[in-house]
Amino acid sequence: MNSKSSPSPIQKVLDLAKIRQFDQVKQASAENEYAKLREATDFVNNKNNEKFLHFKRLTKDTKQTAFKSNMVESSKNLYRILQRFGGEIGQERVWSNYMLLLKCYEFRNENQTDQGARKTQNTPASNGGPGFAGRVSPLKQQHFQNTIPQDHPKPSDWKHIQESYEEKIQSYEEKIRKLNKENNVLMSETADQRNQLEEKEKRIEELTTRLSRIASQQLTQGNPNITDLSDGNRPTKLGERFSQVYDDQWSEAFEALKVKGKQEKEIVTELSDNVQSIYKFMQKSVGELMQKLASETSKVIMCPFQPASHREVPLNGTEGIIRDLVKTQGHHALKSVQEKLGVTKRGEDKRIEKYNEILSELIWYMVIQDPPMVLKFIKNGEKMDKEGSFKPYSKTGSVAEVCVWPALLLHEGGPLIAKGFALPQ
């Protein structure tokens, strides 16, 4: 590989990811992984060019290598960048280059391991051993015996020396067991103290949140331009977590469906339909919850001393109170809503279950905002532009065919929080 003449396909993809402002930490991790693979490939090319050319022919027509969940984090980050941006450079060129790097890296490591084993086997026997005595003359053997120091242990002393070392080893092992036992006790005490500290910090955070919410309730109610910074589920935070799900859990779900033999277009369509289904279900559930709360509140106010009332129309002025109640206490209903939605199914791949669980939680917090956040889905045939709400997925293009991942808006007709992705025609 001659990296001086022109950048490799993988280097071009990494440069493109940097231009697109991909996650800086993951970008750096992927670049380190690429440098490691490239170093091994250069080594094989220089030391065994014939093997290098064999690997190059072998990986020439590679379409895409499989994603492995047991990859180290740097390998995962490089794989995800290649998967997302490789289409703009040329998928076949990118994956062929990637597979060549992996082959050379594995060959270099196996070669070094074999050399180390051979070196150990070829080490000559020590002076005085059976391997040494068979290769020297009796005169030389006598010469070596005369050079042994007078204070060197006699054969009869070796048993005593061995017993002495065994006693020391047993003593050290006993000390190690004692230290391990003390360490386990300290770790247990530390864990208990850490749990107590976390409980206290959580309690302080809850009280701080309640105090801040009471002080700013009238100011922030129904106004998306004023953000409560003490709210861990405020729109900006939800936007960051939503983008993170696309980077991590979406990729895992994609690989889980790919194992079943499905094609790229079929997979992204299925995942997109799944997001829309969860979004519509959460919108409906929040609407029903607010209507029920408003109805029950009106019943209690109108007939405080009766067990029930037939009044179904909410009282005027309660809508804001109900909306704030849902926003602040809606997390208590999340588990029940997820069970009704059926985010976990018997026999479903664990990666898809985790994806549905995290996605449904985020969308629930989005729709209980005041006003609710909005997921925007691009339709087949709609145009995409550089300044718009969607980026091209896998390949370049200006007209959408499939909505891969929705854009996130602060509210209906509001500003863009996170861009979506679409598969171009």
Side-chain angles (χ1 to χ4, degrees), residues 9-23 26-27 30 64 77-95 246-247 250-251 264 391-396 420-421:
I10 293 182
Q11 185 61 57
K12 290 180 180 179
V13 174
L14 291 172
D15 293 341
L16 179 60
K18 184 177 294 183
I19 294 173
R20 297 287 176 80
Q21 296 182 345
F22 189 71
D23 186 287
K26 294 180 179 180
Q27 174 83 22
Q64 182 172 351
N77 292 332
L78 178 58
Y79 184 95
R80 288 166 180 157
I81 289 178
L82 298 180
Q83 182 188 46
R84 182 175 302 182
F85 301 102
E88 301 184 39
I89 305 300
Q91 287 284 11
E92 186 170 328
R93 294 170 54 208
V94 170
W95 292 116
Y246 177 69
D247 288 339
W250 186 91
S251 297
E264 180 184 57
K391 301 178 184 178
Y393 168 82
S394 182
K395 59 182 180 180
T396 58
F421 290 88

Side-chain angles (χ1 to χ4, degrees), residues 339-355:
E339 290 176 1
K340 186 176 180 181
L341 175 62
V343 295
T344 57
K345 299 179 181 179
R346 183 175 297 177
E348 188 71 270
D349 192 290
K350 294 296 183 182
R351 292 171 290 184
I352 296 179
E353 286 186 1
K354 183 178 180 181
Y355 167 70

Side-chain angles (χ1 to χ4, degrees), residues 31-42:
E31 290 179 351
N32 289 337
E33 178 69 13
Y34 173 56
K36 179 181 71 177
L37 296 176
R38 188 178 59 192
E39 179 187 3
T41 304
D42 291 340

Side-chain angles (χ1 to χ4, degrees), residues 16 20 22 64 67 79-91 95 245-258 262-272 355 378 382-385 389-406 419-425:
L16 179 60
R20 297 287 176 80
F22 189 71
Q64 182 172 351
F67 180 89
Y79 184 95
R80 288 166 180 157
I81 289 178
L82 298 180
Q83 182 188 46
R84 182 175 302 182
F85 301 102
E88 301 184 39
I89 305 300
Q91 287 284 11
W95 292 116
V245 169
Y246 177 69
D247 288 339
D248 297 334
Q249 283 74 35
W250 186 91
S251 297
E252 297 281 352
F254 183 96
E255 292 300 324
L257 294 175
K258 188 177 179 180
K262 297 184 179 182
Q263 300 301 313
E264 180 184 57
K265 183 178 177 181
E266 183 182 2
I267 295 174
V268 297
T269 301
E270 181 175 338
L271 292 175
S272 178
Y355 167 70
I378 193 170
E382 289 188 15
K383 291 185 177 181
M384 299 184 294
D385 55 72
S389 302
F390 289 85
K391 301 178 184 178
Y393 168 82
S394 182
K395 59 182 180 180
T396 58
S398 59
V399 179
E401 181 177 5
V402 178
C403 181
V404 177
W405 189 252
K419 285 192 174 187
F421 290 88
L423 181 66
Q425 290 183 356

